[in-house]
Amino acid sequence: MNFKEQLQKDISIFINQNEFAEKHFIEDVEMDVIIDVQANSNFEKAAELQAFQEGIYQSKFKIMYASTREELPRQGYKMKFDGIDYDVVYAEFEDGMSVVTLLRNEG
């Protein structure tokens, strides 16, 4: 068994509440989700500057959750995350999980 096969087998260990995941709702379905905060740190600084200048800022973050390739949302799709609609900016399927970047204008 190679590394990727082992990772797919262990995805339920990685994405669970005892490790990195938290319960969230995607399209009104409760599931274990990892929010990648580190990927957004530079974006948040730019968003703060934009908010100061324009009064509107963008909320952008990356989520990861167990899925199949067929369940991967398309770019431009409106995804409901914790009851709020976001635009799917980017989505890819990686070793048994969806990695999705979400964006929403707020103000």
Side-chain angles (χ1 to χ4, degrees), residues 14-103:
F14 178 68
I15 299 182
N16 74 65
Q17 290 184 349
N18 294 326
E19 297 298 331
F20 303 105
E22 300 173 340
K23 289 285 185 192
H24 290 277
F25 288 90
I26 296 178
E27 303 295 348
D28 299 323
V29 176
E30 187 176 44
M31 54 195 324
D32 291 334
V33 178
I34 297 173
I35 299 177
D36 187 355
V37 179
Q38 192 69 14
N40 303 314
S41 59
N42 290 335
F43 185 83
E44 288 172 1
K45 291 176 188 171
E48 288 174 12
L49 178 61
Q50 183 179 0
F52 175 74
Q53 293 175 347
E54 299 175 19
I56 297 174
Y57 65 97
Q58 292 181 319
S59 176
K60 182 179 180 183
F61 55 96
K62 186 183 292 188
I63 61 172
M64 294 171 270
Y65 55 94
S67 69
T68 64
R69 186 174 299 279
E70 293 78 26
E71 297 170 319
L72 187 67
R74 295 178 318 275
Q75 184 175 348
Y77 176 75
K78 295 277 188 201
M79 176 183 274
K80 187 177 282 191
F81 182 74
D82 286 342
I84 299 172
D85 288 330
Y86 290 88
D87 293 319
V88 173
V89 176
Y90 183 75
E92 63 183 331
F93 183 77
E94 291 184 4
D95 303 318
M97 64 183 171
S98 290
V99 180
V100 181
T101 302
L102 299 175
L103 175 73

Side-chain angles (χ1 to χ4, degrees), residues 1-11 13 95:
M1 181 178 297
N2 66 32
F3 177 74
K4 287 187 176 192
E5 291 170 337
Q6 185 65 42
L7 183 61
Q8 283 185 307
K9 182 180 170 197
D10 293 338
I11 200 78
I13 295 170
D95 303 318

